[in-house]
Amino acid sequence: MTDNIAEALQRTQQAIQQIKLEHQLRQDARLIAVSKTKPAEAIAIAYQAGQRAFGENYVQELQAKAQQLASLSGIEWHFIGPIQSNKTRDIARYADWVHSVDRLKIAERLSAQRPAELAPLKVLLQINISAEESKAGVAPEDMLALAQAVAALPGLELKGLMAIPEPGNGPAAFARMAKLSAQLQQQQPQATELSMGMSDDWPDALRCGATMIRLGTAIFGARDYSNR
């Protein structure tokens, strides 16, 4: 498993760098290794291979793995799943980034529950860019009002946007997200991050200006949901 994860990370980083060079893209775009359902041992292997940012969808997994791997200097936890109100306390305590803030109530709870001794929690607003009823996310037309309210909350640092487009609609959705990001930065200049792109569509996302791409199976192999 050690060699497989290390080799997968190397291949993925090489592919990312090649696209950056071919299209003269910003060099700070980075990989979030989505480690949901994977054991802490697999994350430790990826860490030893140089990966530092890991994405989790489930609060219980985030808490358990953050505690198990607390000794790894510089490890960075990104919560990328839907957020229930009764789960915000653990997210506020164990995450470094939250990609999926889609309403003010959630942001207010994260703000109130972020431990004072920790650095501000970096948050992204999730945009429902394909207007899917089944997906979370704020409507694009409501983005600026939510951003202004979230940016004013203590204990949080608004850093940008996130989206999960409808399958097959990636390129057009990513282009719209790039425009929304530019619009947001006119109001919030610090909100430069754009989290979009997964296993099937990440090259398109990168070409459209993604600063974070979220890849799981490409790094860790197929997910195992048998214990959930």
Side-chain angles (χ1 to χ4, degrees), residues 62-131:
L62 168 68
Q63 178 181 355
K65 293 172 187 176
Q67 290 175 335
Q68 286 178 269
L69 301 172
S71 64
L72 299 183
S73 175
I75 195 167
E76 193 175 82
W77 295 105
H78 293 243
F79 189 79
I80 61 177
I83 303 175
Q84 299 173 353
S85 295
N86 63 346
K87 303 289 187 181
T88 54
R89 186 174 298 277
D90 286 335
I91 296 172
R93 181 172 184 82
Y94 292 104
D96 301 294
W97 289 76
V98 177
H99 291 224
S100 45
V101 172
D102 63 350
R103 55 199 188 277
L104 183 57
K105 176 184 177 181
I106 292 297
E108 288 173 337
R109 290 179 66 87
L110 292 171
S111 169
Q113 295 168 342
R114 181 66 168 175
E117 69 273 14
L118 297 181
L121 181 62
K122 298 177 176 66
V123 300
L124 308 179
L125 304 184
Q126 182 172 352
I127 306 296
N128 189 347
I129 194 62
S130 301

Short mmCIF file of all heavy atoms in Angstrom, two decimals, residues 62-131:
data_model
loop_
_atom_site.label_atom_id
_atom_site.label_comp_id
_atom_site.label_asym_id
_atom_site.label_seq_id
_atom_site.Cartn_x
_atom_site.Cartn_y
_atom_site.Cartn_z
N LEU A 62 -13.38 12.72 10.67
CA LEU A 62 -12.50 13.89 10.86
C LEU A 62 -11.96 13.91 12.28
O LEU A 62 -10.74 14.05 12.49
CB LEU A 62 -13.28 15.17 10.58
CG LEU A 62 -12.59 16.48 11.00
CD1 LEU A 62 -11.37 16.75 10.14
CD2 LEU A 62 -13.58 17.65 10.93
N GLN A 63 -12.83 13.77 13.25
CA GLN A 63 -12.41 13.82 14.65
C GLN A 63 -11.44 12.70 14.98
O GLN A 63 -10.37 12.94 15.57
CB GLN A 63 -13.62 13.73 15.57
CG GLN A 63 -13.27 13.72 17.05
CD GLN A 63 -14.49 13.60 17.95
OE1 GLN A 63 -15.62 13.60 17.48
NE2 GLN A 63 -14.26 13.46 19.25
N ALA A 64 -11.77 11.48 14.59
CA ALA A 64 -10.94 10.33 14.94
C ALA A 64 -9.56 10.44 14.31
O ALA A 64 -8.53 10.21 14.96
CB ALA A 64 -11.63 9.05 14.50
N LYS A 65 -9.51 10.80 13.04
CA LYS A 65 -8.22 10.85 12.35
C LYS A 65 -7.38 12.03 12.81
O LYS A 65 -6.15 11.92 12.94
CB LYS A 65 -8.45 10.90 10.84
CG LYS A 65 -9.06 9.62 10.29
CD LYS A 65 -9.47 9.77 8.83
CE LYS A 65 -10.23 8.57 8.33
NZ LYS A 65 -10.71 8.74 6.94
N ALA A 66 -8.03 13.17 13.07
CA ALA A 66 -7.29 14.33 13.57
C ALA A 66 -6.64 14.01 14.91
O ALA A 66 -5.51 14.43 15.19
CB ALA A 66 -8.20 15.54 13.68
N GLN A 67 -7.34 13.27 15.75
CA GLN A 67 -6.78 12.89 17.05
C GLN A 67 -5.66 11.88 16.88
O GLN A 67 -4.60 12.00 17.51
CB GLN A 67 -7.89 12.33 17.93
CG GLN A 67 -8.89 13.37 18.41
CD GLN A 67 -10.05 12.77 19.18
OE1 GLN A 67 -10.40 11.61 19.01
NE2 GLN A 67 -10.67 13.57 20.04
N GLN A 68 -5.86 10.88 16.02
CA GLN A 68 -4.85 9.84 15.82
C GLN A 68 -3.56 10.40 15.22
O GLN A 68 -2.47 9.92 15.53
CB GLN A 68 -5.39 8.74 14.91
CG GLN A 68 -6.40 7.82 15.55
CD GLN A 68 -6.91 6.80 14.55
OE1 GLN A 68 -7.90 7.02 13.87
NE2 GLN A 68 -6.23 5.68 14.45
N LEU A 69 -3.70 11.40 14.37
CA LEU A 69 -2.54 11.90 13.61
C LEU A 69 -2.10 13.29 14.08
O LEU A 69 -1.41 14.01 13.36
CB LEU A 69 -2.89 11.93 12.12
CG LEU A 69 -3.27 10.57 11.52
CD1 LEU A 69 -3.80 10.73 10.10
CD2 LEU A 69 -2.08 9.61 11.54
N ALA A 70 -2.46 13.64 15.28
CA ALA A 70 -2.15 14.98 15.81
C ALA A 70 -0.66 15.26 15.88
O ALA A 70 -0.24 16.42 15.87
CB ALA A 70 -2.79 15.15 17.18
N SER A 71 0.17 14.23 15.93
CA SER A 71 1.61 14.43 16.04
C SER A 71 2.26 14.80 14.70
O SER A 71 3.45 15.16 14.68
CB SER A 71 2.27 13.17 16.59
OG SER A 71 2.11 12.08 15.69
N LEU A 72 1.53 14.71 13.59
CA LEU A 72 2.11 15.00 12.28
C LEU A 72 2.11 16.51 12.04
O LEU A 72 1.06 17.13 11.83
CB LEU A 72 1.32 14.29 11.17
CG LEU A 72 1.30 12.76 11.26
CD1 LEU A 72 0.53 12.18 10.07
CD2 LEU A 72 2.71 12.19 11.31
N SER A 73 3.28 17.09 12.09
CA SER A 73 3.42 18.54 11.97
C SER A 73 2.96 19.03 10.60
O SER A 73 3.35 18.47 9.57
CB SER A 73 4.87 18.94 12.19
OG SER A 73 5.06 20.32 11.98
N GLY A 74 2.12 20.06 10.59
CA GLY A 74 1.72 20.67 9.33
C GLY A 74 0.58 19.98 8.61
O GLY A 74 0.18 20.43 7.53
N ILE A 75 0.04 18.90 9.17
CA ILE A 75 -1.09 18.25 8.52
C ILE A 75 -2.28 19.20 8.55
O ILE A 75 -2.48 19.95 9.51
CB ILE A 75 -1.42 16.88 9.17
CG1 ILE A 75 -2.33 16.07 8.25
CG2 ILE A 75 -2.02 17.06 10.55
CD1 ILE A 75 -2.46 14.61 8.65
N GLU A 76 -3.09 19.18 7.49
CA GLU A 76 -4.15 20.15 7.32
C GLU A 76 -5.45 19.42 6.99
O GLU A 76 -5.50 18.64 6.03
CB GLU A 76 -3.77 21.10 6.17
CG GLU A 76 -4.59 22.34 6.03
CD GLU A 76 -4.01 23.22 4.93
OE1 GLU A 76 -4.30 22.96 3.74
OE2 GLU A 76 -3.23 24.14 5.25
N TRP A 77 -6.48 19.66 7.79
CA TRP A 77 -7.75 18.95 7.64
C TRP A 77 -8.79 19.85 6.98
O TRP A 77 -9.08 20.94 7.47
CB TRP A 77 -8.26 18.47 8.99
CG TRP A 77 -7.35 17.45 9.60
CD1 TRP A 77 -6.47 17.64 10.64
CD2 TRP A 77 -7.21 16.08 9.21
NE1 TRP A 77 -5.80 16.47 10.91
CE2 TRP A 77 -6.23 15.49 10.04
CE3 TRP A 77 -7.81 15.28 8.23
CZ2 TRP A 77 -5.85 14.15 9.93
CZ3 TRP A 77 -7.43 13.95 8.12
CH2 TRP A 77 -6.46 13.41 8.95
N HIS A 78 -9.37 19.36 5.88
CA HIS A 78 -10.39 20.07 5.13
C HIS A 78 -11.70 19.30 5.24
O HIS A 78 -11.78 18.15 4.81
CB HIS A 78 -9.99 20.17 3.65
CG HIS A 78 -8.79 21.01 3.39
ND1 HIS A 78 -8.84 22.16 2.63
CD2 HIS A 78 -7.49 20.89 3.80
CE1 HIS A 78 -7.62 22.70 2.57
NE2 HIS A 78 -6.79 21.94 3.28
N PHE A 79 -12.71 19.94 5.82
CA PHE A 79 -14.02 19.30 5.86
C PHE A 79 -14.77 19.70 4.61
O PHE A 79 -14.97 20.89 4.34
CB PHE A 79 -14.82 19.69 7.10
CG PHE A 79 -16.07 18.87 7.24
CD1 PHE A 79 -16.01 17.58 7.75
CD2 PHE A 79 -17.29 19.36 6.82
CE1 PHE A 79 -17.15 16.79 7.83
CE2 PHE A 79 -18.44 18.58 6.91
CZ PHE A 79 -18.36 17.29 7.42
N ILE A 80 -15.21 18.71 3.81
CA ILE A 80 -15.77 19.00 2.50
C ILE A 80 -17.19 18.48 2.33
O ILE A 80 -17.77 18.62 1.25
CB ILE A 80 -14.87 18.42 1.38
CG1 ILE A 80 -14.76 16.90 1.49
CG2 ILE A 80 -13.49 19.06 1.42
CD1 ILE A 80 -13.94 16.27 0.37
N GLY A 81 -17.76 17.88 3.38
CA GLY A 81 -19.10 17.30 3.27
C GLY A 81 -20.20 18.23 3.71
O GLY A 81 -19.95 19.33 4.22
N PRO A 82 -21.45 17.80 3.53
CA PRO A 82 -22.60 18.58 4.02
C PRO A 82 -22.51 18.75 5.53
O PRO A 82 -22.02 17.87 6.24
CB PRO A 82 -23.81 17.73 3.63
CG PRO A 82 -23.31 16.81 2.56
CD PRO A 82 -21.88 16.56 2.86
N ILE A 83 -23.00 19.86 6.03
CA ILE A 83 -22.87 20.18 7.46
C ILE A 83 -24.24 20.21 8.12
O ILE A 83 -25.12 20.99 7.72
CB ILE A 83 -22.18 21.54 7.67
CG1 ILE A 83 -20.80 21.54 6.99
CG2 ILE A 83 -22.03 21.84 9.15
CD1 ILE A 83 -20.10 22.88 7.05
N GLN A 84 -24.41 19.37 9.12
CA GLN A 84 -25.61 19.41 9.95
C GLN A 84 -25.35 20.30 11.16
O GLN A 84 -24.24 20.35 11.69
CB GLN A 84 -25.97 18.00 10.41
CG GLN A 84 -26.27 17.03 9.28
CD GLN A 84 -26.47 15.61 9.78
OE1 GLN A 84 -26.26 15.32 10.95
NE2 GLN A 84 -26.87 14.73 8.88
N SER A 85 -26.38 20.99 11.61
CA SER A 85 -26.21 21.94 12.71
C SER A 85 -25.66 21.29 13.97
O SER A 85 -24.85 21.89 14.69
CB SER A 85 -27.55 22.61 13.03
OG SER A 85 -27.99 23.39 11.94
N ASN A 86 -26.05 20.04 14.23
CA ASN A 86 -25.59 19.38 15.46
C ASN A 86 -24.19 18.81 15.34
O ASN A 86 -23.69 18.20 16.29
CB ASN A 86 -26.57 18.27 15.87
CG ASN A 86 -26.65 17.15 14.84
OD1 ASN A 86 -26.20 17.29 13.71
ND2 ASN A 86 -27.25 16.04 15.23
N LYS A 87 -23.53 19.02 14.21
CA LYS A 87 -22.16 18.52 14.01
C LYS A 87 -21.13 19.64 13.97
O LYS A 87 -19.93 19.37 13.81
CB LYS A 87 -22.08 17.72 12.71
CG LYS A 87 -23.04 16.54 12.61
CD LYS A 87 -22.65 15.41 13.53
CE LYS A 87 -23.51 14.18 13.28
NZ LYS A 87 -23.16 13.06 14.18
N THR A 88 -21.57 20.88 14.10
CA THR A 88 -20.63 21.98 13.89
C THR A 88 -19.56 22.08 14.96
O THR A 88 -18.44 22.55 14.68
CB THR A 88 -21.39 23.32 13.81
OG1 THR A 88 -22.21 23.47 14.98
CG2 THR A 88 -22.24 23.40 12.56
N ARG A 89 -19.85 21.65 16.18
CA ARG A 89 -18.87 21.82 17.25
C ARG A 89 -17.58 21.05 16.94
O ARG A 89 -16.47 21.59 17.09
CB ARG A 89 -19.45 21.36 18.59
CG ARG A 89 -18.50 21.64 19.77
CD ARG A 89 -19.16 21.33 21.10
NE ARG A 89 -20.34 22.15 21.32
CZ ARG A 89 -20.30 23.38 21.79
NH1 ARG A 89 -19.14 23.95 22.09
NH2 ARG A 89 -21.42 24.07 21.97
N ASP A 90 -17.71 19.80 16.51
CA ASP A 90 -16.51 19.01 16.22
C ASP A 90 -15.80 19.52 14.96
O ASP A 90 -14.57 19.47 14.88
CB ASP A 90 -16.88 17.53 16.06
CG ASP A 90 -17.19 16.88 17.40
OD1 ASP A 90 -16.69 17.37 18.44
OD2 ASP A 90 -17.94 15.89 17.43
N ILE A 91 -16.56 19.98 13.99
CA ILE A 91 -15.93 20.56 12.80
C ILE A 91 -15.12 21.79 13.19
O ILE A 91 -13.98 21.97 12.76
CB ILE A 91 -16.99 20.91 11.73
CG1 ILE A 91 -17.69 19.65 11.23
CG2 ILE A 91 -16.34 21.65 10.55
CD1 ILE A 91 -18.87 19.93 10.32
N ALA A 92 -15.71 22.64 14.01
CA ALA A 92 -15.03 23.87 14.45
C ALA A 92 -13.77 23.55 15.23
O ALA A 92 -12.80 24.33 15.21
CB ALA A 92 -15.98 24.72 15.28
N ARG A 93 -13.75 22.44 15.90
CA ARG A 93 -12.60 22.09 16.74
C ARG A 93 -11.49 21.40 15.94
O ARG A 93 -10.30 21.66 16.18
CB ARG A 93 -13.04 21.17 17.88
CG ARG A 93 -11.89 20.78 18.81
CD ARG A 93 -12.38 20.04 20.03
NE ARG A 93 -11.29 19.75 20.94
CZ ARG A 93 -10.78 20.60 21.82
NH1 ARG A 93 -11.27 21.82 21.90
NH2 ARG A 93 -9.78 20.27 22.61
N TYR A 94 -11.84 20.55 14.98
CA TYR A 94 -10.83 19.70 14.36
C TYR A 94 -10.46 20.08 12.93
O TYR A 94 -9.41 19.64 12.44
CB TYR A 94 -11.30 18.23 14.39
CG TYR A 94 -11.35 17.69 15.79
CD1 TYR A 94 -12.55 17.51 16.46
CD2 TYR A 94 -10.17 17.37 16.49
CE1 TYR A 94 -12.60 17.02 17.76
CE2 TYR A 94 -10.21 16.89 17.78
CZ TYR A 94 -11.43 16.72 18.41
OH TYR A 94 -11.47 16.25 19.70
N ALA A 95 -11.28 20.86 12.25
CA ALA A 95 -10.95 21.23 10.87
C ALA A 95 -10.08 22.48 10.83
O ALA A 95 -10.16 23.34 11.72
CB ALA A 95 -12.23 21.46 10.07
N ASP A 96 -9.27 22.58 9.80
CA ASP A 96 -8.53 23.80 9.50
C ASP A 96 -9.25 24.61 8.42
O ASP A 96 -9.16 25.83 8.38
CB ASP A 96 -7.12 23.47 9.02
CG ASP A 96 -6.34 22.68 10.05
OD1 ASP A 96 -6.05 23.25 11.12
OD2 ASP A 96 -6.04 21.49 9.81
N TRP A 97 -9.92 23.87 7.52
CA TRP A 97 -10.70 24.47 6.43
C TRP A 97 -12.07 23.81 6.41
O TRP A 97 -12.19 22.61 6.67
CB TRP A 97 -10.03 24.22 5.08
CG TRP A 97 -8.77 24.98 4.80
CD1 TRP A 97 -7.52 24.73 5.32
CD2 TRP A 97 -8.61 26.07 3.92
NE1 TRP A 97 -6.61 25.61 4.82
CE2 TRP A 97 -7.25 26.45 3.95
CE3 TRP A 97 -9.49 26.78 3.10
CZ2 TRP A 97 -6.75 27.49 3.18
CZ3 TRP A 97 -8.99 27.83 2.33
CH2 TRP A 97 -7.64 28.19 2.38
N VAL A 98 -13.08 24.58 6.03
CA VAL A 98 -14.41 24.04 5.76
C VAL A 98 -14.84 24.55 4.38
O VAL A 98 -14.92 25.75 4.16
CB VAL A 98 -15.44 24.48 6.83
CG1 VAL A 98 -16.83 23.95 6.46
CG2 VAL A 98 -15.03 23.96 8.19
N HIS A 99 -15.08 23.60 3.47
CA HIS A 99 -15.41 23.97 2.08
C HIS A 99 -16.90 24.13 1.85
O HIS A 99 -17.29 24.58 0.76
CB HIS A 99 -14.91 22.88 1.13
CG HIS A 99 -13.43 22.78 1.02
ND1 HIS A 99 -12.78 22.63 -0.20
CD2 HIS A 99 -12.44 22.79 1.96
CE1 HIS A 99 -11.46 22.55 0.01
NE2 HIS A 99 -11.24 22.65 1.31
N SER A 100 -17.74 23.75 2.79
CA SER A 100 -19.15 23.52 2.49
C SER A 100 -20.11 24.40 3.30
O SER A 100 -21.21 23.96 3.65
CB SER A 100 -19.49 22.05 2.70
OG SER A 100 -18.93 21.56 3.92
N VAL A 101 -19.72 25.63 3.58
CA VAL A 101 -20.63 26.56 4.25
C VAL A 101 -21.64 27.08 3.23
O VAL A 101 -21.26 27.66 2.21
CB VAL A 101 -19.86 27.74 4.88
CG1 VAL A 101 -20.82 28.79 5.40
CG2 VAL A 101 -18.95 27.24 5.99
N ASP A 102 -22.93 26.84 3.49
CA ASP A 102 -23.94 27.24 2.51
C ASP A 102 -25.08 28.07 3.10
O ASP A 102 -26.01 28.43 2.39
CB ASP A 102 -24.52 26.01 1.80
CG ASP A 102 -25.25 25.07 2.75
OD1 ASP A 102 -25.15 25.28 3.98
OD2 ASP A 102 -25.92 24.14 2.26
N ARG A 103 -24.99 28.37 4.39
CA ARG A 103 -26.01 29.23 5.00
C ARG A 103 -25.43 29.89 6.25
O ARG A 103 -24.50 29.38 6.86
CB ARG A 103 -27.28 28.45 5.33
CG ARG A 103 -27.10 27.23 6.19
CD ARG A 103 -28.31 26.31 6.05
NE ARG A 103 -28.29 25.21 7.00
CZ ARG A 103 -27.62 24.08 6.82
NH1 ARG A 103 -26.87 23.92 5.74
NH2 ARG A 103 -27.70 23.12 7.71
N LEU A 104 -26.01 31.02 6.59
CA LEU A 104 -25.46 31.83 7.67
C LEU A 104 -25.53 31.11 9.01
O LEU A 104 -24.62 31.25 9.84
CB LEU A 104 -26.19 33.17 7.74
CG LEU A 104 -25.67 34.17 8.77
CD1 LEU A 104 -24.19 34.47 8.56
CD2 LEU A 104 -26.50 35.45 8.73
N LYS A 105 -26.59 30.36 9.27
CA LYS A 105 -26.73 29.65 10.54
C LYS A 105 -25.52 28.76 10.81
O LYS A 105 -25.00 28.72 11.94
CB LYS A 105 -28.01 28.82 10.54
CG LYS A 105 -28.18 27.97 11.80
CD LYS A 105 -29.43 27.09 11.70
CE LYS A 105 -29.55 26.19 12.92
NZ LYS A 105 -30.74 25.30 12.84
N ILE A 106 -25.07 28.04 9.79
CA ILE A 106 -23.92 27.16 9.95
C ILE A 106 -22.67 27.98 10.24
O ILE A 106 -21.86 27.63 11.12
CB ILE A 106 -23.73 26.29 8.70
CG1 ILE A 106 -24.89 25.28 8.57
CG2 ILE A 106 -22.38 25.57 8.72
CD1 ILE A 106 -24.98 24.28 9.69
N ALA A 107 -22.47 29.06 9.51
CA ALA A 107 -21.30 29.91 9.74
C ALA A 107 -21.30 30.48 11.15
O ALA A 107 -20.26 30.55 11.82
CB ALA A 107 -21.26 31.02 8.70
N GLU A 108 -22.46 30.90 11.62
CA GLU A 108 -22.55 31.46 12.97
C GLU A 108 -22.21 30.42 14.03
O GLU A 108 -21.53 30.74 15.02
CB GLU A 108 -23.96 32.01 13.19
CG GLU A 108 -24.24 33.28 12.40
CD GLU A 108 -25.69 33.72 12.50
OE1 GLU A 108 -26.57 32.86 12.79
OE2 GLU A 108 -25.96 34.91 12.26
N ARG A 109 -22.65 29.19 13.82
CA ARG A 109 -22.33 28.14 14.79
C ARG A 109 -20.84 27.82 14.76
O ARG A 109 -20.21 27.63 15.81
CB ARG A 109 -23.16 26.89 14.50
CG ARG A 109 -24.65 27.06 14.82
CD ARG A 109 -25.43 25.79 14.49
NE ARG A 109 -25.03 24.67 15.36
CZ ARG A 109 -25.55 24.43 16.56
NH1 ARG A 109 -26.49 25.21 17.06
NH2 ARG A 109 -25.14 23.38 17.26
N LEU A 110 -20.25 27.75 13.58
CA LEU A 110 -18.81 27.51 13.49
C LEU A 110 -18.03 28.63 14.15
O LEU A 110 -17.02 28.39 14.84
CB LEU A 110 -18.39 27.37 12.02
CG LEU A 110 -18.89 26.14 11.27
CD1 LEU A 110 -18.58 26.26 9.78
CD2 LEU A 110 -18.26 24.86 11.84
N SER A 111 -18.47 29.84 13.96
CA SER A 111 -17.82 31.00 14.57
C SER A 111 -17.88 30.92 16.10
O SER A 111 -16.87 31.10 16.79
CB SER A 111 -18.50 32.28 14.07
OG SER A 111 -18.07 33.40 14.81
N ALA A 112 -19.06 30.64 16.63
CA ALA A 112 -19.24 30.61 18.07
C ALA A 112 -18.49 29.45 18.72
O ALA A 112 -18.06 29.54 19.87
CB ALA A 112 -20.73 30.51 18.40
N GLN A 113 -18.31 28.35 17.98
CA GLN A 113 -17.74 27.14 18.55
C GLN A 113 -16.26 26.94 18.23
O GLN A 113 -15.65 25.99 18.72
CB GLN A 113 -18.55 25.93 18.07
CG GLN A 113 -19.98 25.95 18.58
CD GLN A 113 -20.88 24.94 17.90
OE1 GLN A 113 -20.58 24.42 16.82
NE2 GLN A 113 -22.02 24.64 18.52
N ARG A 114 -15.67 27.83 17.46
CA ARG A 114 -14.24 27.71 17.17
C ARG A 114 -13.46 28.02 18.45
O ARG A 114 -13.57 29.12 19.02
CB ARG A 114 -13.83 28.70 16.07
CG ARG A 114 -12.34 28.65 15.67
CD ARG A 114 -11.99 27.34 15.02
NE ARG A 114 -10.65 27.40 14.40
CZ ARG A 114 -10.05 26.36 13.83
NH1 ARG A 114 -10.68 25.17 13.80
NH2 ARG A 114 -8.86 26.47 13.29
N PRO A 115 -12.63 27.09 18.93
CA PRO A 115 -11.87 27.34 20.16
C PRO A 115 -10.98 28.58 20.03
O PRO A 115 -10.32 28.79 19.00
CB PRO A 115 -11.03 26.06 20.31
CG PRO A 115 -11.85 25.00 19.64
CD PRO A 115 -12.46 25.69 18.45
N ALA A 116 -10.98 29.38 21.06
CA ALA A 116 -10.27 30.66 21.02
C ALA A 116 -8.78 30.50 20.83
O ALA A 116 -8.11 31.39 20.29
CB ALA A 116 -10.56 31.45 22.30
N GLU A 117 -8.23 29.36 21.28
CA GLU A 117 -6.78 29.16 21.17
C GLU A 117 -6.33 28.75 19.77
O GLU A 117 -5.13 28.71 19.49
CB GLU A 117 -6.31 28.11 22.18
CG GLU A 117 -6.75 26.68 21.90
CD GLU A 117 -8.11 26.35 22.50
OE1 GLU A 117 -8.83 27.28 22.90
OE2 GLU A 117 -8.45 25.15 22.56
N LEU A 118 -7.28 28.46 18.88
CA LEU A 118 -6.94 28.05 17.52
C LEU A 118 -6.98 29.24 16.56
O LEU A 118 -7.66 30.24 16.81
CB LEU A 118 -7.91 26.98 17.03
CG LEU A 118 -7.92 25.66 17.80
CD1 LEU A 118 -8.92 24.69 17.18
CD2 LEU A 118 -6.53 25.03 17.86
N ALA A 119 -6.26 29.11 15.48
CA ALA A 119 -6.30 30.13 14.43
C ALA A 119 -7.70 30.19 13.84
O ALA A 119 -8.47 29.22 13.94
CB ALA A 119 -5.28 29.79 13.34
N PRO A 120 -8.07 31.31 13.22
CA PRO A 120 -9.39 31.37 12.59
C PRO A 120 -9.62 30.21 11.63
O PRO A 120 -8.69 29.76 10.94
CB PRO A 120 -9.36 32.71 11.84
CG PRO A 120 -8.38 33.54 12.62
CD PRO A 120 -7.33 32.58 13.08
N LEU A 121 -10.83 29.73 11.59
CA LEU A 121 -11.22 28.64 10.71
C LEU A 121 -11.41 29.19 9.30
O LEU A 121 -12.19 30.13 9.10
CB LEU A 121 -12.52 28.01 11.21
CG LEU A 121 -13.10 26.84 10.44
CD1 LEU A 121 -12.14 25.65 10.44
CD2 LEU A 121 -14.45 26.44 11.04
N LYS A 122 -10.70 28.64 8.34
CA LYS A 122 -10.80 29.11 6.96
C LYS A 122 -12.02 28.46 6.31
O LYS A 122 -12.17 27.24 6.35
CB LYS A 122 -9.53 28.77 6.19
CG LYS A 122 -8.28 29.44 6.76
CD LYS A 122 -7.04 29.01 5.99
CE LYS A 122 -5.80 29.75 6.47
NZ LYS A 122 -5.44 29.42 7.87
N VAL A 123 -12.88 29.27 5.73
CA VAL A 123 -14.12 28.74 5.17
C VAL A 123 -14.31 29.16 3.72
O VAL A 123 -13.87 30.24 3.29
CB VAL A 123 -15.35 29.18 6.01
CG1 VAL A 123 -15.23 28.68 7.44
CG2 VAL A 123 -15.55 30.68 5.98
N LEU A 124 -14.98 28.27 2.99
CA LEU A 124 -15.39 28.52 1.61
C LEU A 124 -16.91 28.43 1.56
O LEU A 124 -17.53 27.64 2.27
CB LEU A 124 -14.80 27.49 0.66
CG LEU A 124 -13.28 27.26 0.70
CD1 LEU A 124 -12.89 26.18 -0.30
CD2 LEU A 124 -12.53 28.54 0.41
N LEU A 125 -17.52 29.22 0.70
CA LEU A 125 -18.96 29.14 0.48
C LEU A 125 -19.24 28.13 -0.62
O LEU A 125 -18.68 28.24 -1.73
CB LEU A 125 -19.52 30.50 0.08
CG LEU A 125 -19.26 31.67 1.04
CD1 LEU A 125 -19.97 32.92 0.52
CD2 LEU A 125 -19.70 31.34 2.46
N GLN A 126 -20.11 27.16 -0.33
CA GLN A 126 -20.48 26.20 -1.36
C GLN A 126 -21.59 26.79 -2.23
O GLN A 126 -22.63 27.21 -1.73
CB GLN A 126 -20.96 24.88 -0.75
CG GLN A 126 -21.32 23.85 -1.82
CD GLN A 126 -21.61 22.48 -1.24
OE1 GLN A 126 -21.42 22.24 -0.06
NE2 GLN A 126 -22.10 21.58 -2.09
N ILE A 127 -21.36 26.79 -3.54
CA ILE A 127 -22.31 27.33 -4.50
C ILE A 127 -23.03 26.17 -5.20
O ILE A 127 -22.38 25.25 -5.69
CB ILE A 127 -21.60 28.20 -5.57
CG1 ILE A 127 -20.76 29.30 -4.90
CG2 ILE A 127 -22.61 28.80 -6.54
CD1 ILE A 127 -21.53 30.30 -4.11
N ASN A 128 -24.33 26.23 -5.26
CA ASN A 128 -25.09 25.23 -6.02
C ASN A 128 -25.11 25.69 -7.47
O ASN A 128 -26.09 26.24 -7.96
CB ASN A 128 -26.51 25.08 -5.46
CG ASN A 128 -27.25 23.90 -6.07
OD1 ASN A 128 -26.83 23.33 -7.07
ND2 ASN A 128 -28.36 23.53 -5.46
N ILE A 129 -24.01 25.45 -8.16
CA ILE A 129 -23.79 26.05 -9.47
C ILE A 129 -24.68 25.44 -10.55
O ILE A 129 -24.97 26.09 -11.56
CB ILE A 129 -22.29 25.96 -9.87
CG1 ILE A 129 -21.97 26.87 -11.05
CG2 ILE A 129 -21.90 24.50 -10.13
CD1 ILE A 129 -22.19 28.33 -10.78
N SER A 130 -25.14 24.20 -10.36
CA SER A 130 -26.00 23.56 -11.35
C SER A 130 -27.47 23.59 -10.95
O SER A 130 -28.30 22.95 -11.61
CB SER A 130 -25.55 22.11 -11.58
OG SER A 130 -24.21 22.06 -12.04
N ALA A 131 -27.79 24.28 -9.86
CA ALA A 131 -29.17 24.42 -9.39
C ALA A 131 -29.86 23.07 -9.19
O ALA A 131 -31.02 22.89 -9.55
CB ALA A 131 -29.98 25.30 -10.34
#
